């Protein structure tokens, strides 16, 4: 940490700050300028008490962190990127670009199996589908719950696809983990720290969506919760953030994908469906995701989007899925990530 003192702080008050820094476990090094003194506090900021409260001292102008607050998630010090393994499939590193496809919500056996077969045929390795759905209104379809999990298990049995589905509550972690190969933590829950810790403990890989108003640092720190709870199998998923733009449901932040890839060794995938909230933009955003170096896609597909019980406006139909695969292939090839 760097502690910047106010101009012309007397020596006695500089000494007070140095003493406090020492008390908190750091070694203070004062740099005395003509007008201002700056104190560098040497020591691991992640292991020692926080110095931020020094900002309330009258002689302190500001306290600036130097180190990153996440250590397990950080790229720094890692030689190779993390490859997450789920259902025998590798995600991240030099593994092939990973396609996860399926409906927003699991609605019926027929609906799920139609999409699962199409996803398999299109080259997807994971079937997505929400059994427990986070809905803005309590009057909207909340998902089939445990029945939905049973249908996902059935689809896995028939197709061999891995399963990714959302866990909404700590109460459901075991039930979801019994069926899912990857537990999805949704955007609305991505800073629900007790859920993150509970999900980490189930032994399955965790896909962590970026929250609607989450800074990249906060997203990485949420991933740090999972990793520091003993689960290194974490996938980051950019799904758009809330901005002033109303032409799209969310603003897909591909810059954050490039940044997360640079800052972290974890795989980063993109959800272009929540990312724009419009089916007509999904393929273009998917091409861009492959080109920018994402490790895969989580995309919503429904046999009849107009009849979907959730997110119909943003789901591709089966032809749309085939078209998506066709259009991303040159970009996946260029990124060197073909199967
Ligand atoms: C979803 O994947 O259907 C979903 C609800 O995603 P998010 O949490 O990103 O809104
Ligand atoms: Mn959805």
């Amino acid at each position: 940490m760097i502690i910047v003192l106010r101009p012309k702080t007397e020596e006695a008050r500089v000494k007070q700050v140095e003493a406090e820094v020492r008390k908190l476990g750091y070694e203070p090094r004062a740099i005395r300028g003509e007008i201002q003194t700056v104190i560098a506090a040497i020591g691991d900021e992640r292991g020692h008490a926080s110095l931020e409260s020094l900002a309330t001292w009258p002689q302190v102008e500001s306290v600036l962190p130097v180190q990153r607050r996440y250590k397990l998630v950080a790229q720094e010090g890692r030689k190779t990127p993390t490859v997450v393994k789920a259902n025998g499939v590798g995600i991240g590193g030099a593994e092939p670009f990973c396609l996860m496809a399926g409906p927003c919500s699991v609605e019926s056996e027929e609906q799920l199996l139609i999409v699962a077969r199409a996803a398999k045929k299109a080259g997807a390795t994971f079937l997505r589908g929400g059994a427990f759905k986070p809905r803005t209104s309590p009057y909207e379809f909340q998902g089939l719950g445990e029945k939905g999990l049973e249908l996902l298990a059935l689809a896995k049995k028939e197709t061999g696809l891995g399963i990714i589905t959302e866990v909404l509550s700590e109460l459901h972690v075991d039930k979801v983990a019994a069926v899912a190969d990857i537990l999805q933590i949704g955007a609305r829950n991505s800073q629900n720290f007790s859920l993150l810790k509970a999900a980490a403990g189930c032994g399955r890989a965790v896909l962590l969506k970026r929250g609607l108003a989450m800074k990249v640092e906060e997203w990485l720190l949420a991933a740090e919760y999972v990793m520091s709870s003993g689960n290194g199998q974490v996938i980051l998923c950019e799904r758009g953030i809330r901005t002033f733009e109303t032409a799209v449901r969310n603003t897909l932040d591909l810059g954050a994908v490039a940044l997360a890839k640079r800052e972290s060794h974890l795989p980063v995938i993109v959800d272009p469906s929540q990312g724009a909230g419009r089916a007509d933009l999904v393929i273009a955003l998917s091409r861009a995701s492959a080109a920018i170096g994402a490790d895969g896609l989580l995309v919503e597909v429904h046999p009849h989007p107009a009849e979907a019980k959730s997110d119909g406006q943003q789901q591709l139909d089966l032809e749309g899925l085939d078209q998506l695969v066709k259009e991303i292939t040159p970009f996946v090839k260029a990124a060197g990530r073909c199967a």
Side-chain angles (χ1 to χ4, degrees), residues 76 82 101 152 157 162 170 176 193 199 205 220 254 269 291 315 317 334:
E76 225 171 54
T82 287
L152 287 165
K157 199 160 163 221
E170 285 164 75
V176 173
F193 303 119
L220 298 178
L254 288 177
I269 74 163
Q315 305 207 50
D317 60 14

Side-chain angles (χ1 to χ4, degrees), residues 25-334:
Y26 300 82
E27 184 52 36
R29 300 264 166 81
I31 303 146
R32 290 174 167 80
E34 256 177 52
I35 299 170
Q36 266 176 297
T37 294
V38 164
I39 298 174
I42 315 291
D44 190 340
E45 290 166 16
R46 296 161 304 194
H48 293 308
S50 170
L51 291 170
E52 272 156 15
S53 52
L54 277 172
T56 62
W57 288 34
Q59 67 267 54
V60 174
E61 191 173 275
S62 55
V63 179
L64 311 166
V66 177
Q67 291 174 345
R68 289 177 173 80
R69 291 159 78 198
Y70 40 87
K71 52 182 167 180
L72 302 172
V73 161
Q75 178 85 262
E76 225 171 54
R78 291 262 181 164
K79 288 199 183 68
T80 52
T82 287
V83 173
V84 169
K85 278 253 169 197
N87 198 39
V89 176
I91 305 151
E95 295 292 326
F97 191 76
C98 179
L99 183 58
M100 304 179 181
C104 176
S105 301
V106 177
E107 297 171 9
S108 68
E109 179 174 332
E110 193 197 359
Q111 172 242 21
L112 189 66
L113 287 178
I114 288 174
V115 181
R117 289 173 194 139
K120 172 93 179 175
K121 199 159 144 251
T125 43
F126 289 88
L127 175 66
R128 65 147 288 152
F132 295 96
K133 292 302 301 177
R135 303 306 304 278
T136 300
S137 160
Y139 306 115
E140 290 165 349
F141 177 60
Q142 305 286 307
L144 296 180
E146 289 185 38
K147 175 73 191 157
L149 293 178
E150 282 168 26
L151 295 177
L152 287 165
L154 185 75
K156 178 176 181 175
K157 199 160 163 221
E158 186 189 306
T159 60
L161 289 170
I163 299 296
I164 169 162
T165 193
E166 179 162 353
V167 58
L168 260 188
S169 154
E170 285 164 75
L171 300 174
H172 302 145
V173 168
D174 292 340
K175 282 194 180 108
V176 173
V179 170
D181 299 284
I182 305 174
L183 267 63
Q184 176 175 327
I185 303 280
R188 289 153 193 83
N189 258 325
S190 46
Q191 283 185 306
N192 179 342
F193 303 119
S194 47
L195 176 61
L196 289 173
K197 287 191 263 186
C202 79
R204 300 287 191 189
V206 172
L207 177 136
L208 179 65
K209 295 273 193 113
R210 181 179 179 193
L212 280 81
M214 227 185 199
K215 298 202 289 184
V216 171
E217 186 194 30
E218 292 165 330
W219 185 27
L220 298 178
L221 282 167
E224 187 84 8
Y225 267 91
V226 180
M227 289 197 72
S228 62
S229 303
N231 188 340
Q233 296 281 290
V234 185
I235 304 163
L236 298 166
C237 180
E238 161 63 31
R239 47 79 72 207
I241 50 172
R242 179 77 46 96
T243 69
F244 53 82
E245 181 57 73
T246 52
V248 284
R249 181 183 182 193
N250 294 296
T251 299
L252 188 70
D253 183 4
L254 288 177
V257 175
L259 181 57
K261 291 281 296 179
R262 176 163 291 211
E263 279 293 304
S264 153
H265 53 85
L266 295 173
V268 183
I269 74 163
V270 173
D271 175 345
S273 309
Q274 327 299 322
R278 292 172 49 154
D280 62 341
L281 299 183
V282 165
I283 293 180
L285 294 173
S286 300
R287 292 194 304 257
S289 302
I292 208 163
D295 295 292
L297 290 174
L298 178 70
V299 62
E300 290 186 342
V301 182
H302 193 286
H304 308 288
E307 291 162 24
K309 293 192 172 164
S310 61
D311 287 350
Q313 75 290 354
Q314 67 193 33
Q315 305 207 50
L316 294 178
D317 60 14
L318 304 185
E319 292 86 70
L321 174 63
D322 289 341
Q323 187 63 24
L324 177 143
V325 171
K326 201 169 133 201
E327 292 199 26
I328 62 171
T329 300
F331 295 90
V332 173
K333 271 193 189 141

